[in-house]
Amino acid sequence: MPAATTSLEEQLHALKTQAPSDFSAAADADALEAVRVKYLGRQGSLPELMKLLGSAAAEDRGRLGKLANEVKQVVQTSFDAQKQKLESAKAEAAAGLFDASLPGRRRKLGKLHPLTQTTERIVTIFQNLGFTVAEGPEIEDEWHCFDALNTPADHPARDLQDTLYLQDGRLLRTQTSTVQIRVMETHKPPIRIIAPGRVFRRDEVDATHSACFHQIEGLYVAENVSVADLKGTLEHFFRELLGPETKTRFRPHFFPYTEPSFEIDFSAAALGLKGKEWLEIAGCGMVDPAVFKSVGYDPERYTGFAFGMGVERIAMILHGIDDIRLFYQNDSRFLQQF
Ligand code: DAH
C-alpha cells in the first residue's frame, strides 16, 4: 500500500473522531461557525482530503471514497446537531425573559348597542304577556304600507316628500304597521305579535329626526277584545318599562288604521324628568274594521288593538339623550355608557 494512501485513510479516520468533538465543544454561534469553516469550509480539511482522493491508487479509490462519504456524513451531522442545540438553548433563554407576574392586557368588552338593548327590553315585556316576535320586509309595496292600512291615496304620508319610493313603485316602509297586515294575511286569529324593525322617511336629519329609525309595532286580535284590554296591556307595559309609579294618559288622536285612536303620554315626573309634565311616547287604537276587511277577517266577529312606538325616542327618554344622531355615529365613548 503506498504511503500517501495510508495517510489519507488515517487522516479520514482522525477527522471522523476529531470533528464531532470539536463541534460539540463549540459554546456559541461564532465558535460553531469557526469549526464549520475549519472542517467544511471551501479550504476546510474535508474538501482538502476529498481532493486527494483523485490521486489515490485505483484499487484503493473505491474503499477510500466510501470512507470519505461516511466521514462527510458524520461531520455534517455533528455540525447540524450542535447548531440545533445552540438554537434551542437560545430560545429557552429568551423564554426566561417572560415575566409571568406582569398584569395581562385587558381587551375591551363589546356590548349591545343602546337601541338593541331598548328593543330587547320592550320585546321581553310583551313576550312575558304571550306576544310573539314577527318581522316583515323593509322594502314594501303600497298595499302593505298604506292601502291595507286604510290610508287613502291622497294621504299626506304617501307624498313623495314623506315616503322614499323605488323606481319600480315599491317603497321603503315608513312604519312597522306593515307587519300587522303581513301577519293577518297569513295567520288566523287569535294573533298576538310584537314587531320590531327599521323604518325610513324622507326626513331632514336633525337632533330629533333621522331618515332611518326603529319602531316597535304590536297587534292583538281575537274575539271580544276591548279598549279596556288595550289600556290594561299598555299601562302594564309602561309601568314595567319606566317604573311602577309611572302614570299613563290616553289622549284621543287619529290614525287611519285604528278607531278609536289614541296617543299615549306618560308622567315624566316618574323618571325624575323636569320640564314637561306629560311626554308623548306611543300611538295606539282599536283596529279599524276596514283593516280587517282588507285582510279577509270578519269585522263582526273579531276585534283587536294595535300600537306603535319609536325605539330611539324611548331610548332617549330612558337615558336622557338629547341628540338622535349619537345613536348612529358609533363613537365608543358614547356607546360604552350603556
Ligand atoms: N304607525 C304609527 C307611526 O308610524 C304608529 C302607530 C300608531 C302604530 C297607532 C299603531 C297604532 O299600530 O295603532 O307613527
Side-chain angles (χ1 to χ4, degrees):
M1 222 183 257
T5 309
T6 311
S7 104
L8 176 53
E9 188 165 13
E10 278 167 3
Q11 286 183 69
L12 281 170
H13 277 297
L15 194 60
K16 199 176 166 186
T17 48
Q18 189 56 42
S21 83
D22 281 0
F23 276 122
S24 55
D28 58 28
D30 288 345
L32 181 68
E33 177 60 8
V35 180
R36 188 192 68 79
V37 170
K38 179 177 165 202
Y39 289 112
L40 293 165
R42 214 169 327 148
Q43 288 163 35
S45 15
L46 189 60
E48 290 296 325
L49 291 179
M50 295 294 233
K51 272 186 227 155
L52 295 180
L53 271 181
S55 49
E59 71 267 28
D60 297 327
R61 223 175 275 158
R63 184 172 42 85
L64 288 177
K66 206 174 148 218
L67 175 62
N69 273 333
E70 245 177 75
V71 174
K72 191 179 169 193
Q73 195 96 59
V74 168
V75 174
Q76 186 65 46
T77 309
S78 47
F79 166 71
D80 290 345
Q82 185 65 8
K83 188 173 175 206
Q84 179 77 52
K85 196 174 152 190
L86 290 176
E87 275 170 5
S88 52
K90 196 173 156 193
E92 257 169 54
L97 294 177
F98 173 72
D99 181 351
S101 70
L102 279 175
R105 257 174 242 155
R106 227 169 254 281
R107 248 173 229 269
K108 278 195 188 147
L109 262 197
K111 50 167 96 166
L112 293 177
H113 191 281
L115 292 177
T116 308
Q117 290 183 34
T118 305
T119 302
E120 286 193 352
R121 266 181 74 180
I122 295 169
V123 166
T124 303
I125 297 171
F126 283 104
Q127 281 176 324
N128 290 341
L129 293 173
F131 284 70
T132 315
V133 173
E135 285 184 335
E138 291 173 352
I139 295 178
E140 263 294 5
D141 48 44
E142 296 202 59
W143 168 256
H144 291 94
C145 200
F146 298 123
D147 298 307
L149 285 161
N150 195 35
T151 307
D154 60 358
H155 194 281
R158 302 179 71 150
D159 280 2
L160 272 171
Q161 296 112 296
D162 288 300
T163 302
L164 293 154
Y165 287 91
L166 305 186
Q167 267 161 353
D168 63 7
R170 289 184 300 164
L171 48 82
L172 297 182
R173 68 178 177 192
T174 56
Q175 51 186 359
T176 46
S177 308
T178 53
V179 184
Q180 291 185 32
I181 304 302
R182 292 215 166 253
V183 170
M184 287 192 283
E185 280 175 339
T186 51
H187 296 76
K188 287 193 162 64
I191 295 215
R192 254 180 304 189
I193 53 125
I194 187 86
R198 239 181 339 177
V199 300
F200 306 85
R201 292 192 188 169
R202 209 169 164 129
D203 263 338
E204 213 58 65
V205 176
D206 62 25
T208 53
H209 293 86
S210 169
C212 165
F213 60 103
H214 300 77
Q215 286 187 334
I216 296 186
E217 192 82 10
L219 176 68
Y220 179 32
V221 181
E223 290 177 23
N224 301 317
V225 179
S226 71
V227 178
D229 297 314
L230 162 66
K231 277 197 79 181
T233 305
L234 292 176
E235 277 171 2
H236 166 80
F237 164 70
F238 284 112
R239 279 196 304 268
E240 289 285 307
L241 182 71
L242 304 169
E245 307 299 316
T246 306
K247 288 194 194 67
T248 36
R249 173 172 94 167
F250 290 71
R251 202 161 24 79
H253 196 74
F254 174 81
F255 297 106
Y257 28 88
T258 44
E259 180 60 33
S261 303
F262 310 94
E263 272 192 334
I264 310 173
D265 301 333
F266 78 98
S267 53
L271 278 183
L273 298 176
K274 301 212 170 60
K276 282 194 190 154
E277 191 185 352
W278 295 98
L279 278 181
E280 184 221 315
I281 197 160
C284 67
M286 301 304 291
V287 179
D288 195 295
V291 173
F292 284 146
K293 274 192 209 133
S294 65
V295 297
Y297 282 9
D298 178 0
E300 297 300 324
R301 181 169 173 198
Y302 297 113
T303 47
F305 65 78
F307 53 89
M309 59 192 100
V311 178
E312 278 80 351
R313 182 170 166 77
I314 291 180
M316 287 168 84
I317 288 170
L318 283 174
H319 301 293
I321 296 164
D322 59 6
D323 194 327
I324 196 171
R325 291 167 291 199
L326 289 166
F327 289 124
Y328 315 118
Q329 288 159 352
N330 281 339
D331 184 331
S332 61
R333 290 168 302 177
F334 170 74
L335 296 175
Q336 73 194 1
Q337 298 176 59
F338 306 98

